[in-house]
Structure formats: C-alpha cells, structure tokens
Amino acid sequence: MRLKHGACTDVGMVRVSNEDAFSAEGELFVVADGMGGHNAGEVASALAVTTLRSGVRSGLRDPSTLRELVQQANTAIYTASLDDSAQAGMGTTVTAMAVIPGEEPRVMVANVGDSRTYIFRDGRLDPISVDHSYVQELVNEGIITREEARTHPRRNIVTRALGIDRTVMVDVFTQDVRTGDRLLLCSDGLVDEVSDADIARVLAQHRDPQECAEALVMVANTNGGRDNTTVVVVDIADDISAPVDLPPDDNDTEEVTRPGAVLVAPERTKRRISFGMTLFWSALVAIVLGVVVIMGVYGRSGYFIGFTEDDNVAIWRGRPGGVLWFNPTVDTETGLTGDDLPADILRDVVTNREFGSSISARKYLALVEQVIVDATTTTVGTTTTTTGG
Ligand code: MN
C-alpha cells in the first residue's frame, strides 16, 4: 500500500495564534488542537505530536500500541502542566491515523476530543472517529441531529482531552481501505465552518492531496475562519508497482514530505499567517479600489455652474470642490461675469447650482442670457422713453 498526502494549517481570520499541530510523515498522521492560556495550547498540541512521532519509531504494530502511545502523550502533557504553572490545565485533542502492518490494507484511528478522521470513498464522506464532545452526547441521545450539532452554541465543549487527567480513555477504530480511498484528518476549525457536504465537494474537486488540503483551509477561512484550521489529506494510492504520481514540486509539498521533519504548529504558523494576511490585504485593496472607482465615477458625473479663475461664468464638469483627487474641469466658458448677473442668478453661480447633464446646464445658461438681454432691452427702452419724454 502506498500513501500520498498533503497537509495545511492556518491560524484563521480571527485568532492571533495557531494552537493546532499536525504531523504527516511515513505511515502516521496526526492532528492535535491545543487549549489553554499563555500559548499553553500550542505546547500541549506540539507535545502530543512529538510524543506520537517519537513513539512510532519503535514500531506501531496494532491498535493497542497506538492506544498506548496516545496515553504516553497524555502523560507527557499532564506532567509538563504540573511542572510549569503557566501551563497548568493545558490540554489537547488528538486524532491519529496509522497503517496497520499486514496483508490486509487496513488503518487504525485513535481519537480523544473533537478533532476528526473521515473516510471519503466513492463520493461519500463518513466519519471514522466519534467526537468526545457535549454536542456529540446530545446527538447520541437523539436530542439534536449531526447537522444541528455543527452550529450548536456549545459545540466547542470537549468531554475528553489529553493532559487534563493522569489517565485518559482513548478510542481506537479500525477501517479497511482500498486504492482510491481518501482519508481526512482535521481540527474542529474545518467542521465548524464547512458542512460535510461541502467538505465532500472539495475532496472530490482536487486530485492532488496538497492542493486539496489547502483548498479546504481556504474554504474554512472564507466561511469565517473563526478558529485555527488544520487539515491532513491522505490518499490510498496504488501499490508500489504502480507508476509514481508525484504531486507538484512546490514549497508546501517539499516541507510536508521532508524526511525526518516533525511539523508542528509554531513552525508552520509563521508561514501560514502570511497566507491569511495575504487574503486580508487582497480583500482590503479590492475594497479600496472599488471605493475609488465609485467615487471617481461620481466625482466626474455631474455638471455645475461657477466662476473660472478669470471670474467668467462657466459650466463645470464634476462636483463642486472635487471628490478625492477628481477635480472639476471647465466644460463651457461664457463671456458673462458676476457684474452681468441679476441677484438670484448670481446666487446660483456662487453656490454652484448642479445639473444632471451638460445639456440642462447649457439650457439654464441660455435662459440666463435671455433674461439679461430682456433686462437690458427694457432698461434701454425705459431710458429712451424717459429721454424722449
Ligand atoms: Mn479548534
């Protein structure tokens, strides 16, 4: 049995630190979601991953060795929390998946808490692990449905975690696998933001497991990213005789598959913050550009009357005073000055009366000119009459 995998972790859109950790290497895959103040969550999840990773070197034969290994991780975290008061009460969830050596292709899945392992086969997504959470208990009792549990206000309460007590109960599941199966390990940051149906859709869309893991994290962030999200995708590939279908040679793949590396959250977080920030800044730049375009269109859309620098009455294009750096420009300049204008029209020019179009502004000025001509004629007529009388 040959495995191909991809992995991605991200701090999300709200949290300031990533307390998730994961390992994806060889035939052991782990996701841990830490909890506790003063970065203690990061310590707990990293300890879970490193304990499992170092334990696997002495051999993972069967479900009971995996269970013992998870219990060792519990002891390591519990002891560390007693040794350092800053880390008191720290804990972590863990879901771990490993291949069971033997003729039959099978995997084992250990679980404590609400990180999950799913199997995706023939377009169907089914959980292998069962959460240790308050809402899972409500589901078990038939009080709420699985879908209701996903958005329940108390969905983040875990009823079991590593590091809290001296001992811990570890559930271990076994699962037959075959070529084409895809396994998904994830923290609750994914399942809280993305429905099982949408997770299945993304799993089906991306052939490459690394692209798939990154796409899932992207969807969680797009939907809110209110928690850290960690995703490990493991494909059960053809046997060794089949041609090797290498994933694209990019940095992510390089880092994830580097032999001997234990990838825990602190190392990954640094790089992944920039991923979240890139998304944030791109959105911000898009919004600012949109506003500028709208303001520009608005700023250049109208017409008004006012004086030019030479004190001539003119039709201006734009908005009085300008909008942002979109200043009005002279559209049509007349030979009229303020002295030519009757008081009411002068007020219109001084207060920059606005018009919807160049035509209506011209009509108004034509009227103004007519009024001035009429007034002049009347005056002349009167004068003539007076002189004549
Ligand atoms: Mn979480």
Side-chain angles (χ1 to χ4, degrees):
M1 188 162 68
R2 207 164 58 84
L3 304 176
K4 293 197 297 179
H5 67 262
C8 185
T9 187
D10 189 64
V11 68
M13 309 305 282
V14 176
R15 302 282 173 94
V16 292
S17 64
N18 190 346
E19 299 191 319
D20 287 0
F22 75 91
S23 174
E25 191 197 329
E27 300 195 329
L28 174 71
F29 304 88
V30 187
V31 167
D33 178 351
M35 58 202 92
H38 304 102
N39 298 329
E42 279 180 38
V43 175
S45 60
L47 258 175
V49 168
T50 49
T51 308
L52 287 175
R53 177 53 61 197
S54 59
V56 81
R57 298 206 174 95
S58 49
L60 260 183
R61 294 180 306 278
D62 50 32
S64 68
T65 41
L66 180 61
R67 177 180 282 116
E68 281 164 26
L69 205 49
V70 175
Q71 282 162 342
Q72 281 174 29
N74 179 69
T75 305
I77 299 161
Y78 182 71
T79 309
S81 74
L82 295 181
D83 290 348
D84 184 346
S85 64
Q87 293 167 356
M90 69 175 172
T92 184
T93 72
V94 70
T95 189
M97 193 270 285
V99 173
I100 305 176
E103 291 295 299
E104 293 294 306
R106 282 199 305 157
V107 296
M108 49 190 166
V109 173
N111 184 60
V112 175
D114 66 354
S115 295
R116 288 186 189 167
T117 300
Y118 289 88
I119 182 165
F120 183 64
R121 173 184 288 175
D122 300 331
R124 246 186 82 104
L125 183 67
D126 289 304
I128 297 174
S129 60
V130 179
D131 291 354
H132 303 127
S133 67
Y134 171 69
V135 289
Q136 182 62 45
E137 288 178 3
L138 296 182
V139 171
N140 293 348
E141 288 162 25
I143 296 166
I144 59 171
T145 65
R146 261 177 59 83
E147 194 49 38
E148 285 167 342
R150 209 174 70 77
T151 53
H152 194 281
R154 304 217 183 279
R155 65 182 176 276
N156 293 320
I157 298 175
V158 293
T159 50
R160 241 188 256 180
L162 297 187
I164 305 300
D165 291 315
R166 193 172 295 279
T167 59
V168 70
M169 295 247 296
V170 181
D171 291 345
V172 182
F173 309 85
T174 60
Q175 170 75 48
D176 297 338
V177 289
R178 59 183 191 226
T179 299
D181 285 349
R182 176 166 262 189
L183 292 133
L184 167 71
L185 289 77
C186 62
S187 61
D188 64 340
L190 180 71
V191 294
D192 279 2
E193 299 289 9
V194 189
S195 68
D196 279 10
D198 287 341
I199 292 173
R201 210 164 294 139
V202 177
L203 286 169
Q205 268 166 6
H206 298 268
R207 206 177 122 83
D208 178 69
Q210 181 61 32
E211 281 174 19
C212 187
E214 288 174 12
L216 284 167
V217 170
M218 180 90 81
V219 175
N221 282 341
T222 306
N223 290 0
R226 281 157 284 200
D227 193 3
N228 310 143
T229 301
T230 303
V231 170
V232 176
V233 174
V234 185
D235 287 343
I236 310 296
D238 298 333
D239 59 31
I240 291 151
S241 61
V244 178
D245 181 12
L246 285 172
D249 185 17
D250 63 25
N251 286 339
D252 283 341
T253 313
E254 176 88 18
E255 231 180 291
V256 169
T257 57
R258 194 173 59 215
V262 177
L263 291 164
V264 293
E267 186 188 340
R268 298 283 296 179
T269 308
K270 282 183 206 135
R271 211 168 56 79
R272 284 293 165 195
I273 283 172
S274 66
F275 167 79
M277 291 307 281
T278 303
L279 206 70
F280 169 77
W281 284 113
S282 308
L284 195 68
V285 165
I287 289 166
V288 168
L289 279 178
V291 167
V292 167
V293 166
I294 289 165
M295 296 297 268
V297 167
Y298 168 77
R300 296 293 296 159
S301 64
Y303 292 87
F304 66 93
I305 50 171
F307 290 110
T308 63
E309 277 178 45
D310 303 322
D311 285 319
N312 285 329
V313 177
I315 300 172
W316 292 76
R317 186 180 172 195
R319 299 284 167 180
V323 177
L324 296 181
W325 52 89
F326 301 100
N327 289 320
T329 51
V330 174
D331 181 78
T332 312
E333 189 167 349
T334 71
L336 299 170
T337 65
D339 296 336
D340 301 324
L341 303 176
D344 52 340
I345 293 165
L346 180 64
R347 193 175 56 237
D348 279 351
V349 179
V350 170
T351 58
N352 296 132
R353 180 168 171 173
E354 293 187 66
F355 298 88
S357 68
S358 158
I359 290 169
S360 50
R362 277 160 210 262
K363 274 183 184 166
Y364 177 82
L365 276 190
L367 269 173
V368 167
E369 274 161 348
Q370 189 59 52
V371 166
I372 291 166
V373 169
D374 287 349
T376 312
T377 310
T378 309
T379 309
V380 169
T382 309
T383 311
T384 310
T385 308
T386 311
T387 313

